[in-house]
Amino acid sequence: MLTRNRASAERRLTVVAVDSLPNRLQQYGPVQPPSDITTTGRVDVDVRRMPWIRALAAEYADGFAGVADFYAGNPWTADGWRDAISRVQAHQRDREEIARVLEAQAASRGAPPAALDAIATLRDPRAVAIVTGQQAGLFGGPLYTLLKAITALQLAERARTAYGVPAVAVFWVDSEDHDWEEVRSCPVLDGDLALRTAVLGAPEGAGELPVARITLDGDVDRAIADLESALQPTEFTTDVIAALRDCYRPGVRMADAFARWMDRLLGARGLIVYESADPAAKPLVAPLFAQELEQAGRTASLALAAGEAMRARGHDPQVVPQPDAIALFRLDGGRTPIRARGDVFLIGDDDAGRPGVARGALVEEARQHPERFSPNVLLRPLAQDTLFPTVAYVSGPSELAYLGQLKDVYRHFAVPMPLMYPRASVTLLDSASTRFLARYDFPLVKLRPQDEAALNHLLESQLPASVEQSLAAADAAVRERMATVIDAVAQIDPTLGGAARTTLGRMEHDLRTLHNKIIHAAKKRDETLRRQFSRAQALAFPGGHPQERTLGIPFFLNRYGWALIARLEAELPLETGKHYILTL
């Protein structure tokens, strides 16, 4: 069922690099020679031309030496990969047990055989993993979730072919956070390209319990119906909605539904989906939890020091932990922070009236009942790389910042730090939108502001040159003649100078009014141009935000079909610091 119309969809997909839009984004850095928009070639594009990209992410891709001290190795070099592979293969871990945990999860979800084969590969002591992850967002979250997973699959293939090691891709479903607002919605564009959002209600425990413990109720059927009504009907709609209903059902946990959806999207390509809240895996990280409690505050102090070093290089740290913060939460119904006070720990934000827990007692509890604890943002990567032989982690731009604060934390826990590899970055447009950008030599980033300033400038540029020249000449002539008048009348009566300047102001105002009327007439004359602008703007920057960070995965599957996944995997290159436009 899921392969229907794949061939026809593939025929509609072409790829165009950002530099195929001639002379785009020059203000954001040096560019390579432009190519013709009608070709399917790719041109390297510096991500610094995208204003929303963090400076650290740009430097990481373009000038790694400047930030190398914060990371374990250079992901752009063969030596960096070989060293990382050697470190991971030399580190002892219980591969058999994590494979059993993964197999149990996969079996419970009915994961594809290719995913089970990949899990079996992890038992090989030479095997390495390319890991990525994301919160369990509704219906898969934004497009970048899919891009992360595809990048991980591509890197696993490269590791197999370039370095001769068994390699698998693992997707870490981050499901122990309790922030329901972060995961409950799925924005899409409707048939008129207006932004609409399918939103889940609040099942029992929402906002208090970790997402992994939230069970979907009947409201999920309503959310799927809202999604279906928002999407423009296409030849793919029936299949996409049916697949979502199969994964997101009343009685299924939110995190499990997300994992099932990822299985459906990429399991057949060998993606291993790991639901991180599984208590069966917690004994494997119990020593990590115990050490964090035994050496309370050390993780925070190391991350703080790295953050200050990062700030000295001109980059703001992503995480600024309190000195008494423990990089663990206590799972006692909710997800409760832990703080150190001498030889005791305080559990909860408000310590008024709360008795402290003796250090030794909490350390022992972590050893005996690790399922009662959850790592925070600083310890989660180490838990991940304790469980998996992670040779590289596929990150987003913001993740690079806090991961750069962890090099000494990895060393402190004697866990090998993986390479950090930026995920693929893309904007998907239709051919009409890319033709508009090419025809008018219009920079993609100028579509981002949610106003008509850029459109007005474009319309002005389309006016006959004689109009602009005549208006400019009239304005200059008025200024010149009135300057003479102002000087002349001042000789008769100094007070007349002010009246003359006021007259000049009215004349300039009238000229501006005339100019605006001309622009308005141009707008009425060329409604086609306005529609083209609005279409490209809605697709590229829905709500003023980058497409890949905003629109949910179902929007793209409904629009382009399941073949989109194969084309993204095949067309997006493993190159650093690039942003691509795919023309569909």
Side-chain angles (χ1 to χ4, degrees):
M1 179 177 67
L2 301 184
T3 60
R4 183 168 66 87
N5 297 312
R6 173 173 294 180
S8 63
E10 286 182 347
R11 287 195 295 270
R12 295 204 302 269
L13 300 175
T14 57
V15 60
V16 180
V18 172
D19 270 2
S20 296
L21 314 181
N23 303 318
R24 306 283 181 264
L25 313 172
Q26 299 274 358
Q27 64 271 36
Y28 297 106
V31 299
Q32 303 224 2
S35 64
D36 192 324
I37 189 68
T38 62
T39 71
T40 59
R42 284 187 291 261
V43 180
D44 292 350
V45 179
D46 190 335
V47 295
R48 289 177 297 178
R49 299 170 201 164
M50 305 298 141
W52 57 89
I53 296 294
R54 293 176 63 102
L56 177 64
E59 185 173 356
Y60 189 90
D62 190 59
F64 180 79
V67 294
D69 292 347
F70 300 109
Y71 301 96
N74 188 338
W76 323 136
T77 66
D79 286 344
W81 277 86
R82 293 189 188 100
D83 290 345
I85 290 169
S86 296
R87 289 195 301 271
V88 166
Q89 290 177 334
H91 187 74
Q92 295 299 310
R93 55 174 46 84
D94 195 337
R95 291 173 176 266
E96 179 62 34
E97 186 57 30
I98 190 58
R100 282 198 291 265
V101 170
L102 291 169
E103 285 171 342
Q105 286 191 15
S108 72
R109 300 192 303 263
L116 296 174
D117 291 342
I119 293 170
T121 298
L122 280 176
R123 290 186 166 92
D124 188 327
R126 300 182 305 117
V128 299
I130 314 297
V131 181
T132 192
Q134 192 60 37
Q135 290 175 297
L138 183 62
F139 307 146
L143 177 63
Y144 67 66
T145 302
L146 185 62
L147 297 176
K148 279 185 165 185
I150 287 174
T151 304
L153 286 165
Q154 291 175 313
L155 283 175
E157 176 62 24
R158 173 180 285 185
R160 288 190 291 269
T161 57
Y163 303 104
V165 294
V168 299
V170 178
F171 191 96
W172 177 287
V173 182
D174 191 357
S175 57
E176 292 193 310
D177 198 341
H178 62 277
D179 192 343
W180 183 245
E181 291 300 318
E182 285 286 325
V183 300
R184 66 184 296 219
S185 61
C186 178
V188 297
L189 297 177
D190 64 16
D192 296 322
L193 298 183
L195 192 61
R196 294 176 58 181
T197 304
V199 182
L200 278 177
E204 184 177 357
E208 299 175 359
L209 299 177
V211 171
R213 299 187 185 182
I214 302 300
T215 299
L216 297 172
D217 56 23
D219 189 60
V220 71
D221 290 332
R222 190 269 313 155
I224 294 175
D226 287 349
L227 177 73
E228 184 175 14
S229 68
L231 294 170
Q232 181 179 21
T234 71
E235 59 191 303
F236 308 111
T237 304
T238 300
D239 282 354
V240 172
I241 295 299
L244 283 170
R245 290 192 185 281
D246 188 48
C247 297
Y248 286 83
R249 305 191 304 268
V252 175
R253 292 182 302 106
M254 178 70 165
D256 187 54
F258 179 94
R260 290 172 184 268
W261 182 235
M262 294 303 295
D263 281 338
R264 182 68 64 95
L265 295 176
L266 293 169
R269 289 171 167 77
L271 183 70
I272 298 171
V273 180
Y274 171 67
E275 210 273 86
S276 64
D278 192 342
K282 291 293 180 76
L284 296 175
V285 291
L288 183 75
F289 292 173
Q291 183 177 347
E292 172 64 16
L293 292 167
E294 285 175 331
Q295 300 174 358
R298 185 60 176 157
T299 295
S301 65
L302 291 172
L304 274 170
E308 288 307 309
M310 194 172 284
R311 194 187 304 278
R313 304 278 185 91
H315 302 294
D316 290 334
Q318 183 78 2
V319 181
V320 184
Q322 295 298 314
D324 63 349
I326 304 301
L328 284 173
F329 293 99
R330 174 80 175 275
L331 298 176
D332 51 0
R335 193 166 180 249
T336 309
I338 304 171
R339 291 172 295 155
R341 289 289 189 275
D343 288 331
V344 300
F345 293 105
L346 300 178
I347 300 176
D349 292 319
D350 181 10
D351 57 296
R354 292 175 179 264
V357 179
R359 182 188 300 259
L362 204 60
V363 169
E364 185 60 22
E365 183 179 359
R367 294 187 189 280
Q368 298 301 320
H369 296 284
E371 73 280 0
R372 298 176 183 173
F373 296 85
S374 171
N376 77 357
V377 66
L378 296 178
L379 203 62
R380 188 209 60 77
L382 282 89
Q384 161 197 290
D385 302 329
T386 297
L387 293 174
F388 299 108
T390 312
V391 69
Y393 179 78
V394 176
S395 72
S398 295
E399 287 177 297
L400 273 177
Y402 81 78
L403 290 167
Q405 294 179 243
L406 299 183
K407 184 176 181 179
D408 288 339
V409 178
Y410 272 94
R411 184 180 294 115
H412 170 64
F413 285 98
V415 176
M417 186 180 190
L419 303 175
M420 305 302 167
Y421 203 97
R423 65 165 173 81
S425 180
V426 66
T427 298
L428 304 180
L429 295 180
D430 56 20
S431 58
S433 296
T434 46
R435 283 198 303 270
F436 160 75
L437 294 176
R439 179 180 179 183
Y440 297 104
D441 195 20
F442 197 83
L444 179 70
V445 293
K446 284 194 175 182
L447 293 171
R448 190 184 188 195
Q450 298 297 287
D451 57 39
E452 293 192 344
L455 174 60
N456 289 340
H457 181 74
L458 176 60
L459 289 168
E460 287 182 35
S461 70
Q462 302 307 303
L463 293 174
S466 59
V467 174
E468 286 294 333
Q469 291 169 0
S470 298
L471 285 170
D475 184 66
V478 166
R479 290 175 181 272
E480 179 183 352
R481 297 297 184 183
M482 286 303 299
T484 303
V485 171
I486 291 170
D487 289 341
V489 298
Q491 298 176 23
I492 300 172
D493 184 344
T495 63
L496 292 177
R501 281 188 287 271
T502 300
T503 300
L504 172 61
R506 285 197 299 269
M507 296 172 72
E508 290 176 328
H509 177 268
D510 288 343
L511 281 172
R512 288 195 298 271
T513 300
L514 176 61
H515 186 265
N516 289 337
K517 287 181 178 179
I518 293 171
I519 296 299
H520 181 70
K523 289 182 181 180
K524 292 179 64 176
R525 184 198 64 186
D526 204 342
E527 284 299 321
T528 299
L529 180 59
R530 174 182 289 275
R531 288 194 299 270
Q532 291 172 341
F533 174 90
S534 298
R535 182 181 190 83
Q537 183 181 60
L539 284 171
F541 295 100
H545 304 290
Q547 179 198 79
E548 63 184 6
R549 301 185 184 187
T550 306
L551 298 181
I553 293 171
F555 169 76
F556 301 98
L557 295 177
N558 177 72
R559 192 175 179 88
Y560 306 119
W562 303 94
L564 173 66
I565 296 174
R567 289 303 298 265
L568 289 174
E569 190 175 22
E571 299 286 3
L572 290 176
L574 278 174
E575 298 180 41
T576 64
K578 311 298 188 297
H579 182 88
Y580 292 95
I581 293 175
L582 290 183
T583 304
L584 285 68

